[in-house]
Amino acid sequence: TVVAPHSPASPHYLSAVITGRSADELLRSLNAIGIDCDSGSACNPQDLAPSHVLHAMGISTEGHLRIRLHDGVSESDIAELVTGIGSVLN
């Protein structure tokens, strides 16, 4: 579930929840294949506690991923991200 769709205010970020999966498990699995994402609070990236904003919105924080797309990201980079997420979910 996409929590924060593309926004002109923050065009480089995507926030999504993979229902039924642990964010820690997802992060470790993605990192193992060379994809770095974050989870937890966007207000303080060092804070690994679940996002209080998602909680306040009534959205599950389990399986939450924050994805930052750097300048110069290509369509092949996006395809690699999608393929990588798909591979860790199977």
Side-chain angles (χ1 to χ4, degrees):
T1 302
V2 174
V3 177
H6 177 76
S7 159
S10 55
H12 293 83
Y13 293 95
L14 175 69
S15 182
V17 172
I18 312 290
T19 304
R21 299 299 290 262
S22 158
D24 290 337
E25 171 194 332
L26 289 168
L27 293 175
R28 280 192 302 274
S29 297
L30 288 169
N31 187 264
I33 60 172
I35 297 173
D36 293 321
C37 296
D38 292 309
S39 188
S41 173
C43 300
N44 181 358
Q46 282 67 38
D47 183 0
L48 297 180
S51 170
H52 64 278
V53 173
L54 292 181
H55 181 72
M57 292 170 62
I59 298 170
S60 173
T61 58
E62 181 181 28
H64 175 236
L65 294 177
R66 282 184 295 110
I67 301 165
R68 182 172 193 276
L69 304 173
H70 296 277
D71 289 336
V73 68
S74 68
E75 286 187 31
S76 66
D77 295 328
I78 300 297
E80 183 179 335
L81 172 65
V82 170
T83 298
I85 291 173
S87 73
V88 303
L89 294 178
N90 291 327

